[in-house]
Amino acid sequence: MKVLCILYDDPKGGMPSSYPVENLPKIEKYPDGQTLPTPKGIDFNPGELLGCVSGELGLRKFLEDAGHTLVVTNDKDAPGCVAEKELVDADVVISQPFFPFYLTKERIAMAKNLKMAITAGIGSDHVDLQAAMDNKIDVMEVTFCNSRSVAEHIVMMILSLVRDYHNQYRIINEGGWNIADAVQRSYDLEGMHVGTVAAGRIGLDALRKLKHFDVHMHYFDRHRLPESVEKELNLTFHDSVESMVAVCDVVTINCPLHPETENLFDDEMIGKMKKGAYIVNTARGKICNRDAIARALESGQLSGYAGDVWFPQPAPNDHVWRTMPNHGMTPHTSGTSLSAQARYAAGVREILECLFAGEDQRTEYTIVKDGALAGTGAHSYSEGSATSGSDQITFGSGPFQAIITTD
Ligand code: NAD
């Protein structure tokens, strides 16, 4: 089979010759008892860069030894790019949400041999799931591989926004020491009301981690958590996003992007939030309306916005979220720590081993199967597509970047 893998660029200075931490901690199971990926073997050292082009997700030896072809590229956006050309006869496409290859309806129509799209990570909204269903292309992701990595990032971002870390760090880097400047927007998180839109693997883990900060915790999800969990964490359940955001000082967004959640945080929803609240969105950029977020930061309706997800990705140089006031944005990194890469590379290999052997895939890894949402896909997504606008992409790098829109 031909496997096409779209990965992000190597480090500018080349692949590292060593890493800061020598051995990753051993983790056997996720909190709900799900096992970590169980491929028959791996050909990489956990802790090394795997998500970039030279890292190849550690797949080349495994695939070539078994007689398959692996094509790896980072050229993914312009019409006629390498990924589009190679897609034409690919059997499997692997892409990471951090540097997504938008598998639109038009691209799916080009891919006559395509059997499976694998997300090396979690969140398959870069695939037109409706087109995948219509064309009987299975969609898989490595469920849980980086959910806890993201939950750590959420806690980091909530604390850094509320305490105003970025401003204080900047003052020090600029050689300053004005403490009044450094604290005029700085608060304790303790006692605040924190709510999550969705309490799946990430949302629930973030709540568990936040419990220790003595905050009041709220959630909204289309699937209510068991009573025992609500009691354990002293959670307040809301039956709508509106009801929850009206009482929260901090809102974290943790649902997948699909037609029900696209543009959920628009001017109207943000207007229903407590004045001066904070949003942390590590779910998907398109769940928040780009310009509504910038407007709310300008007006003070929001005190801060942080996250690592943008639309499209890579984000254009002039994306307003790079320059709006009181933001704490990072590139899309929370789910691709070196620790997470080891898990999702192993998970992709497990999925490929099952595919080649004609064995059943794990239900929890399944998003689309045999033309319908299935497994985690049926639990967490809705039918339809959320890839529109993905043709507004930045090509090239540095000062010569341009946004090109195709019809
Ligand atoms: P999950 O499937 O465990 O949880 C998703 C939850 O969202 C489920 O509980 C589901 O019921 C809920 N949900 C779905 N639609 C909803 C709606 N309309 N309203 C309310 N709740 C809704 O997935 P997860 O591991 O928690 O990941 C969630 C999302 O986070 C992913 O789909 C992805 O978009 C994003 N993510 C981002 C990164 C990153 O690096 N930033 C990494 C992993 C995942």
Side-chain angles (χ1 to χ4, degrees):
M1 286 196 197
K2 174 172 168 183
V3 177
L4 169 62
C5 194
I6 294 91
L7 298 175
Y8 49 75
D9 297 359
D10 284 359
K12 283 192 173 146
M15 289 294 273
S17 51
S18 66
Y19 292 86
V21 171
E22 281 185 0
N23 295 308
L24 296 186
K26 271 245 166 305
I27 298 166
E28 305 291 340
K29 286 203 160 104
Y30 300 114
D32 68 353
Q34 182 187 316
T35 53
L36 266 72
T38 50
K40 294 196 170 65
I42 52 168
D43 301 311
F44 59 82
N45 295 317
E48 65 189 18
L49 260 172
L50 297 164
C52 59
V53 171
S54 295
E56 299 185 320
L57 293 178
L59 291 173
R60 185 166 297 278
K61 184 175 182 316
F62 156 67
L63 287 171
E64 291 185 348
D65 284 357
H68 302 291
T69 306
L70 174 66
V71 176
V72 179
T73 183
N74 58 355
D75 182 21
K76 70 176 185 75
D77 292 322
C81 60
V82 172
E84 255 187 20
K85 284 195 188 118
E86 297 287 349
L87 179 66
V88 173
D89 58 349
D91 298 278
V92 178
V93 173
I94 304 170
S95 171
Q96 298 172 109
F98 326 105
F99 191 72
F101 178 49
Y102 294 102
L103 205 47
T104 57
K105 189 176 169 186
E106 292 73 24
R107 285 179 169 162
I108 285 178
M110 294 175 191
K112 300 291 177 214
N113 293 350
L114 194 61
K115 296 163 188 58
M116 181 175 280
I118 303 176
T119 301
I122 302 173
S124 297
D125 50 276
H126 59 280
V127 179
D128 183 325
L129 294 180
Q130 190 59 52
M133 288 185 259
D134 296 343
N135 289 277
K136 298 265 167 26
I137 294 164
D138 290 352
V139 181
M140 308 291 300
E141 58 184 47
V142 191
T143 308
F144 235 140
C145 66
N146 56 15
S147 302
R148 305 195 83 198
S149 323
V150 178
E152 284 187 10
H153 210 82
I154 291 168
V155 175
M156 173 182 85
M157 286 186 150
I158 291 177
L159 287 170
S160 56
L161 276 188
V162 171
R163 302 200 62 87
D164 206 22
Y165 167 76
H166 301 88
N167 180 38
Q168 297 167 12
Y169 182 72
R170 181 186 53 76
I171 288 171
I172 282 301
N173 281 328
E174 289 173 355
W177 191 264
N178 187 312
I179 292 180
D181 276 346
V183 298
Q184 62 183 327
R185 300 182 61 87
S186 182
Y187 298 94
D188 293 352
L189 181 62
E190 183 181 356
M192 286 191 172
H193 287 256
V194 182
T196 173
V197 179
R201 291 169 180 83
I202 296 176
L204 179 57
D205 199 53
L207 290 170
R208 285 220 159 91
K209 288 173 162 58
L210 286 163
K211 179 182 176 204
H212 306 285
F213 290 91
D214 291 326
V215 289
H216 305 278
M217 300 203 294
H218 304 253
Y219 81 102
F220 164 72
D221 196 302
R222 64 186 193 185
H223 300 286
R224 195 158 176 176
L225 290 166
E227 210 185 322
S228 57
V229 177
E230 288 189 357
K231 275 208 179 113
E232 170 206 333
L233 297 173
N234 196 17
L235 297 180
T236 304
F237 171 74
H238 294 261
D239 59 9
S240 70
V241 185
E242 287 82 352
S243 145
M244 189 186 82
V245 300
V247 297
C248 284
D249 303 288
V250 180
V251 172
T252 159
I253 303 174
N254 297 300
C255 50
L257 169 64
H258 55 96
E260 279 175 22
T261 61
E262 187 167 349
N263 210 36
L264 182 62
F265 280 78
D266 56 5
D267 285 307
E268 203 184 335
M269 182 67 79
I270 296 168
K272 290 179 178 158
M273 295 180 71
K274 265 174 100 166
K275 183 166 181 331
Y278 302 83
I279 293 181
V280 169
N281 174 18
T282 50
R284 283 297 177 259
K286 255 187 164 186
I287 297 170
C288 291
N289 181 287
R290 184 190 60 192
D291 296 331
I293 294 291
R295 274 193 290 274
L297 288 170
E298 293 285 351
S299 73
Q301 173 61 16
L302 286 179
S303 289
Y305 179 92
D308 65 334
V309 284
W310 308 69
F311 186 81
Q313 291 184 179
N317 283 356
D318 63 354
H319 195 297
V320 65
W321 289 3
R322 291 184 189 268
T323 49
M324 62 193 181
N326 302 311
H327 80 79
M329 296 300 296
T330 64
H332 194 163
T333 52
S334 65
T336 186
S337 59
L338 295 173
S339 325
Q341 289 178 39
R343 291 189 292 270
Y344 66 69
V348 168
R349 173 141 169 193
E350 179 186 344
I351 292 167
L352 288 170
E353 285 176 1
C354 282
L355 174 70
F356 299 151
E359 287 165 5
D360 287 344
Q361 298 281 354
R362 291 199 201 198
T363 314
E364 67 263 28
Y365 287 175
T366 306
I367 303 299
V368 170
K369 185 176 159 38
D370 300 333
L373 292 171
T376 296
H379 183 89
S380 293
Y381 288 79
S382 57
E383 289 184 358
S385 146
T387 55
S388 67
S390 57
D391 45 6
Q392 282 208 347
I393 288 281
T394 307
F395 301 117
S397 59
F400 302 111
Q401 285 188 344
I403 301 172
I404 299 181
T405 310
T406 52
D407 291 328

